[in-house]
Amino acid sequence: MISYLIDIFLIGIGAALINNFVLYYFVGICPFVGVSRKISTAFGMGCAVIFVIAIAAVISWAITTYVLMPGALLSRTVAGLFVPPETAAGIDLTILSYIVYIFAISSSVQFVEMYVRKFFPPLYKALGVYLPLITTNCAILFACLVIMSKITGVDNPADAWDLGRALTLAVGGGIGFTIAIVIMAGIREELDLCDVPKPFKGVAISLIVAGILSLGFMGFTGVDSGLRKAMMPKPEVVAQVQPEAEAGK
Amino acid sequence: MGLKFKGFGGSGSFPHGVHPPERKNFSGAAVIEVIPSPGQVLLPLLQNVGAPAKTSVKAKSEVKMGDKIADAGGFVSAPLHAPIAGKVGKTGVCTLTNGRHVPAMPIRAEGEQIEGKELWEKIFGGQWPKNADKYSPKEIVDAIQAAGIVGLGGAAFPTHVKYVPNEEKPIDTVLINGCECEPYLTSDYRMMLEVPDPIICGSLLLAKASGAKDVIIGVEDNKPEAVEVLKKAAAGTGIQIAVLPTKYPQGSEKQLILAVTGREVPLGGLPLDVGVAVSNVSTTAAIAGAVVKGNPLTHRVVSVTGAGVQTPKNLLVPFGISIGELIEACGGLTKDATRMVAGGPMMGFAFSDMNSPVTKGTSGITILTHEDLKKEDETSCVRCGRCVDVCPMNLVPTKIAMASRHRDTELAQQYNIMACFECGSCAYICPANLPLVQLVRTGKAEVIAAGKK
Amino acid sequence: MNIVTIGLSAATLFAMAVVICYILGWASKAFYVEVDPRVEAIGAALPGANCGGCGFVGCNDYAEAVVLSGAPVDKCPVGGASCASEVAGIMGVEVGESYPQRPVVHCTAKYSDRKGRHEYRGEMTCKGANMVAGVQGCTYGCLGFGDCTRVCKYDAIHVIDGVATVDYDKCIGCGACGSVCPRNIITITPFKKSQILAVGCSNKDKGKDVMAVCEVGCIGCKACARKSEIFKIVDNLPTINYDNWDAECSLEVLEACEKCPRNRLIFVGEPSDADIVATKDKEAPEIIEADFKTTVDDTEWRG
Amino acid sequence: MAKEIQIRESAEAPVIHVAPSPHLSHTAQTTRTMMRDVLIALAPVTGMALYVFQAYALRQLAICVIGCLAAEWIFTGMRGRRATLWDFSAAVTGVILALSLPGTAPWYIGVIASFTAIGIGKVIFGGLGMNIFNPAMVGRAFVMIAFAGAMGAAGYQDASSAVDAISQATPMDAFKQGGAIAPLSALFWGNTNGSLGETSAIACLIGGLYLCIRRTASWEIPAGVIGAVVVLGGIANLLNPESQWTVLHHILGGALLFGAFFIATDPVTSPLTPKGKLIFGTGVGALIMLLRIFSGYPEGVMFAVLIMNSITPLINRWTIPRPLGGK
Amino acid sequence: MADQPTAAERFIQGILPENPVYRQLLGLCPTLAVTNGLKAAITMSAAVLFVLFCANVIVSLIRNLLKPHLRIVIFTLTIATFVTFADRFLAAYVYQMSKVLGPYIPLIIVNCLIICRCEVCASKQGVVTAGADAIGQSLGFCLALCSIAAVRELLGTGMLFDIRVLPVVWPDWVIMVLPPGAFLTFGLLLGLVNWYSDRRAAAAGGK
Amino acid sequence: MKPIQQMEPLSPTAFERLRNNNIIQAWLVLILTLCFGSSLAGIQMTLGPKIEENKLNETLEKIPELILGAEGAQKLTESGEKLDVIPRSFVVDKPGKKAVYNVYEAFDKDKKRLGWVVKTGGQGYADRIELLLGVDPEVKTVSGIFVLEQKETPGLGNKITFEEWRGQFKGKNTETPMGVVKGGKAGAGDINAITGATISSRAVTDIVNMAVADLKGPLTANAEGGK
Ligand SMILES: Cc1cc2nc3c(=O)[nH]c(=O)nc-3n(C[C@H](O)[C@H](O)[C@H](O)COP(=O)(O)O)c2cc1C
Ligand SMILES: Cc1cc2nc3c(=O)[nH]c(=O)nc-3n(C[C@H](O)[C@H](O)[C@H](O)COP(=O)(O)O)c2cc1C
Ligand SMILES: Cc1cc2nc3c(=O)[nH]c(=O)nc-3n(C[C@H](O)[C@H](O)[C@H](O)COP(=O)(O)O)c2cc1C
Ligand SMILES: Cc1cc2nc3c(=O)[nH]c(=O)nc-3n(C[C@H](O)[C@H](O)[C@H](O)CO)c2cc1C
Ligand code: SF4
Ligand code: SF4
Ligand code: SF4
Ligand code: SF4
Ligand code: FES
């Protein structure tokens, strides 16, 4: 249990600071340079991203686990109606993942937008305008893809991420995005009062600032393993071992 | 400073502020002289904060000294009186030292003039009662209004407006401002030394008019002689003398009130809001003259000082006299004079036109030399925060200035641009030599323009 | 198995599409919120890329801004000109004005014509210098620090010999210079002909006072007004009434120009032929009056 | 424009000019004197570096100072501006940069760091006073990541060197790798290995106190940094009592004092208000401890400063002071 | 509706005057992420070319059936499908490269560039124009990516296309192949491009 | 995304209702999903196996080298022979940790066990390091390691992928855990750290030590019981 919590904590820290979505993985650059002119706007955008990324993570985790991955519960059951169970268990729908994710993201964004607009007009005023922009924000899809790779890409099914980890990664990433974009907006408001050479005004100087920021954030490299080392009791090397049956081919 | 401060609500000082060189020695020892009556005066019709005055005499009419020549243009306005006897000319225009371009009425001297000793007697001479029992508040305020008295401390705000009785905001303290925190200037100092009686008398009248219990005269501790004289003059009247540490801008009313009473005038508010009224010592003397003797405000004491003038002096001059004549009376400029400032060097206005007239707000003429003005070139702001450390209003001048330079009125307002009273502490201290005050002023103009839209 | 996989894939997607379309369709009804139809129409006309390039957050926000707060119609970089005209159509605004508006600088005194100029130290802008007395004698005229030059995005106005001078070839009449000039001496004037007549001075003082500060300023002598109806002296300065401007009066006007003792009636501008054609049939503009202010510093100071 | 205005010139009459108020200025402190003060304050540190690292220090200082001045001259020239070499700010950047590099770093590292510091760290933002990030740290971070081999712990040691200090491991590295504890006196006086300017705590203290007393640097920032390090280092000590690397080691070791007094105090890149400065300093201190204890790098001063620089505009926003009489 | 550019114009425009990266600032994520080597940059551009071309053609074919409110849904569906094709194809035939590019191939789906082109060109114009536009834009994209990648790879590793071109004494600037290098290089190149085009515009205006 | 347009109020007639049905409105979407879904599945059918093979090969290709050494592997390819590889998986259940190892058992053509290749990994300097570890059949010595995935700093940590460095592991005894020594003076049982990248070096060594410790028991047990 403790180790699970530590894991969650480190995933969150990792996504937010160490491997910041924007500054390390380069996702969500378009809004990062586009919507970072004012602190308030940037913060609104960040909140909207956190919100949507969480929803998208839940949906994509569920779809991947229950429908897409080989031997997933739903597809196996449905296919089992037509073919023998062994074959059904091998059916792999991961090829659909991209299309399904983007479909899920865009429709959930839209649904949320309509819902909020109807029932929480003040919230819509504050947040709603950013929602549509998010559909084409790489960060969301990126989070889904990472989650997918942690479910289908692992060597053994026991390591597959559960919903908690998936959600933490997504929310951590969203928070990381918010941190980056708010810092950027603060700096850009400051830069409005500076004498930046003309060709660099606007996006070019923002990218350079992002470069220096990313340089600064490189300082966090290794914080996660440092924290893990500090928090985890050293694993015993002597181990109780059982051989397993050969994995079927 | 704590010790000197027994009996007052405030701590004796205010946060931040600067210590510019005082340089009071130029004219500090010079006894007030009465300037010879000029051949002509040019009276600008706008000499006060508020509405301009309206001429009430026709061109070519003859006037005697003290005759009213213009009526107040509204409640926040003051009438004008002829400072000399003569013939009114055709109304023209003139540019004041603060840059305003206003209509002005010339009076050519004709006939007998009251001059010299006689003038001094008329204005300051005689007995000054040490109580105000004879007068009712209304009488006092009416006399002030009729005499055209405006603040002589620099702001030129019509004085009667401050003292009209106000039910909702009663005044409990009258503060008489004898700080004269501006470097160089000594007119208030000389007034306190030479004619303390009208000051005391005027203070009592003001207390009576406003119904205040306390009357406090605030003087900076670099004028010990003035404190002594005032103490003696005030003996038995209940007037207290608060000796304040020397720090610029101690004389600014918000800072003075904070230092003496410990009250903070709210942003955008008036001293009235905290039950205080502030007047300058010279104003007080003029009030005494108006109430006791019925003298209208026609003359004032002006220090002509600085290393750029041959013999620095304190002069009693009629309004409307050209500044050139004042400088002549002091022997003219020295060769290395480079900047003429109406007012003190911290808040005064540089001007170039010797024909500009003296107005009610002109408390001094400071002539600075090349040596005084030596400073490095302007660099960009290095964000050292020193301006923040000295701003007596606790603002962030650099941000305000930069916002103003980039025409970002919204940002400027976030940083409370309108709270700045342009004391100049920030620009004085700024290592980058940025014209911070000028930028703040342009920014304010822009905010006002944006607000009007 | 192949067929099953194919079938299952198609079915999965299909099912998803059905569910989503249904939910969204239902939601759009259930959560319907009344909006200005123009917002929707503009929303539809915009590309919907939600790229944020317009400076707003997403297309809808921009659409709303256009309708509600009158944002310019041509901000969408993705949609380009075609999109702009479509949006303009919805909003019922015309792209393009009926006659060309160009700035006129009502001051023509060169440095050498100005009396009482002094060296000025401080913020080197007109706005700043305008608050300091004695930079120059005339309190109405161009200060020559080029605030207008700095705001012009089209490089169309320059300070030449101490006075702002418009380059009418480049100027597009955006009016930025006029609104920035602290002395309000730039008016945005409709040009009815390739060259129009303008008064090259803004000093409202009496002749004597003008002569004291300027070698060339208008002294309000009324010579022009005596020659032609078109001039009217207001506040010691002629104003030109373009209503009465037509071919017949041009002779009088020329005479008036000759009579002007200070040569302050000048022709300015040379808009292109196209502009003239475009404005031929338009009704004549009303009297143009510069909003001169006695400018130096109207902020309250101290206390 | 100024040039075009006629200046009345005459031998007899005084030349009057006009200007906005105030007409006095505090000439004792200008941008240039501030920068000169920093150079003076750096003298003990530089002296110590020259004493401990000898020719290495001299070479690195020469490279960086000349590099920064040249970069300033070239880049401002490219912008068509008057070069501003004589405000000494580029020289300060050069000296601080040199002092934050290992003496043994190859020549091109100093050159590249200088050009990055001035080019990307300063001129691209508009020059003096406009930069968001500390130029010297931008330059150092750039080369640190670019030439990790020469700038990592191994880069500090030169077995063939005749200079004593350089053949030892740096104190922080010796501790991180082998648990060896440097004696506090060595950390205090400074005959250990490390970046040129960081070895001697006493030199940093002397220079730093001079800066604070002259009010060239605000005391709030070093106070915040050291305060945060004391608190967090104390907590770390309590949680891990057997560790021999105590709070004092944290303070005297590494670039902490140098950073707290000379780098974090860069006025341009730190907040304006005293409260903001305290927050900034505390943030730098906290980040330093976080990075020192947990991150993959032995030291965290540079990264901590860069990260806090980036949120300085936000701190400025949060700490708009209440005007007198305001709400 | 105003005149639409012809196929040839579309093609030319995409390469330089309306370069998707430098002028339109579209699709910045891959621009930064996959430019640490020329090979990756070119593979990415090829993938974009494929997806953009197919999507443009399909959208252009069905443009008359599009309902405004479902337009974007259909675009994304189409794009996602072709992206999946490209992704699988790379995984099958250039496995190493597909590992290097990692998630950035699927991220083409949300690359603003593609949706933008579908919207601006394909949904309004014929198949040929749409195709030409796709190729032009992709070439422009490729050019931009390669320019950045060349700088980064050369400075960062001394190599181009994994072949050493700088002398061995060249100290590799590791930072160039790391995230900060991407931002800095792109920022500086963008500034350079802006400066150059400003100068060109000024020269043209001056004439 | 554009909001889906608001619908007219449901109209009374059945036909109208049908026309205004949300689903019918989206017919194009539905058709496209059908087409795309099936064509994607088709792609999966054709390319899927190849991709799987690629993935597997990434590991399998290295096995001969890890077991036999570079020359051995060379010879093997020349002779056109192939090793017989059986993938297996072992679950290690320890307090506080449950690990699953994928292990490949390699046999020559005579069905003689040549050794084991273990796929394992752990935290490196920057990110996880994934590697293959070859050991002899008795798990007495290491026969080689290969780094599959790492994101260490180029020029520093990424030297762990270089043959010069990882070659050190070959022939190391597994009796006692290997140590890491800086300065190039490693003893027989130790590994020389990469200059400037001790952390990466130690991480790899730790991963190897851990895997050996975890699997020594089960593998030898299995080797004896097997055959
Ligand atoms: C920065 C500053 C400094 C001032 N210094 C003085 C001063 O030294 N003496 C003074 O009488 N008034 C000074 N004033 C004006 C006072 O604030 C206040 O307006 C005046 O004392 C009111 O009296 P009055 O209306 O009689 O002039 C100063 C104002 C400011 C803004
Ligand atoms: C001002 C300054 C800032 C520094 N910042 C860092 C830093 O952020 N990270 C770092 O690893 N080393 C930094 N250093 C260098 C370290 O203090 C130390 O000298 C270097 O890391 C060598 O230690 P090592 O042998 O443990 O690697 C800095 C040095 C100075 C002078
Ligand atoms: C930019 C940079 C990248 C680094 N990358 C690595 C790395 O990939 N692997 C590693 O073990 N150490 C790396 N280090 C070095 C560590 O911070 C630390 O100084 C080093 O592990 C000390 O090891 P040494 O004793 O072998 O020199 C890097 C340092 C820097 C400055
Ligand atoms: C107290 C103080 C500390 C400074 N520290 C630095 C520094 O760490 N790095 C630097 O490049 N410049 C430093 N400077 C110089 C100057 O502020 C720097 O060049 C500007 O950041 C350039 O705009 C410092 C200046 C002062 C007054
Ligand atoms: S005092 Fe001057 S340099 Fe310092 S922050 Fe204020 S404006 Fe900037
Ligand atoms: S900002 Fe205004 S109130 Fe504050 S110091 Fe400057 S001039 Fe004085
Ligand atoms: S026209 Fe106005 S803005 Fe332009 S230079 Fe003259 S005074 Fe300045
Ligand atoms: S109207 Fe606009 S384009 Fe013309 S000169 Fe003025 S600012 Fe320039
Ligand atoms: S390409 Fe636009 S957000 Fe990533």
Side-chain angles (χ1 to χ4, degrees), chain B residues 49 91 93 95-101 154 347 349-350 352 404-405 407 422 435 438-439 441-442 445-446 448, chain C residues 118 120-123 127-129 131-134 139-140 147 180 205-206 209 294 296-303:
Chain B
V49 170
T91 305
V93 289
T95 305
L96 301 184
T97 49
N98 65 11
R100 284 205 182 169
H101 194 65
M347 289 192 70
F349 300 96
S352 55
S404 150
R405 202 174 244 181
R407 299 172 181 278
E422 299 165 22
Q438 191 183 22
L439 286 168
R441 290 179 67 198
T442 53
E446 209 138 285
I448 291 169
Chain C
H118 288 273
Y120 161 71
R121 303 207 177 150
E123 180 80 349
K127 200 169 70 160
M131 300 203 159
V132 174
T139 48
Y140 299 89
D147 282 9
V180 80
D205 293 346
K206 299 222 177 78
D209 294 319
T294 310
V296 176
D297 192 11
D298 3 290
T299 47
E300 289 289 334
W301 55 278
R302 288 197 190 181

Side-chain angles (χ1 to χ4, degrees), chain D residues 220-221 270-281 315-316 319:
Chain D
E220 287 94 345
I221 294 176
S270 55
L272 288 163
T273 60
K275 197 166 132 207
K277 285 173 177 164
L278 209 56
I279 296 176
F280 177 86
I315 297 180
N316 274 338
T319 56

Side-chain angles (χ1 to χ4, degrees), chain A residues 85-155:
Chain A
E86 310 85 69
T87 334
I91 282 184
D92 179 3
L93 294 180
T94 44
I95 182 119
L96 294 182
S97 51
Y98 303 161
I99 202 167
V100 166
Y101 294 159
I102 190 71
F103 215 4
I105 294 172
S106 52
S107 47
S108 57
V109 166
Q110 191 144 48
F111 187 85
V112 169
E113 187 193 355
M114 287 190 284
Y115 184 79
V116 172
R117 188 178 191 179
K118 175 79 182 176
F119 295 108
F120 306 97
L123 187 65
Y124 180 75
K125 268 257 161 303
L127 257 183
V129 285
Y130 306 110
L131 286 168
L133 262 184
I134 291 168
T135 316
T136 51
N137 182 337
C138 305
I140 316 278
L141 185 58
F142 180 77
C144 295
L145 292 170
V146 173
I147 291 168
M148 178 185 93
S149 75
K150 296 291 187 187
I151 297 173
T152 62
V154 290
D155 284 337

Side-chain angles (χ1 to χ4, degrees), chain C residues 137-173:
Chain C
C138 175
T139 48
Y140 299 89
C142 179
L143 284 157
F145 291 101
D147 282 9
C148 45
T149 308
R150 273 185 289 270
V151 295
C152 179
K153 291 202 189 89
Y154 305 91
D155 192 32
I157 186 163
H158 302 275
V159 176
I160 298 173
D161 253 354
V163 41
T165 313
V166 182
D167 177 348
Y168 289 96
D169 282 338
K170 286 190 185 163
C171 174
I172 60 123

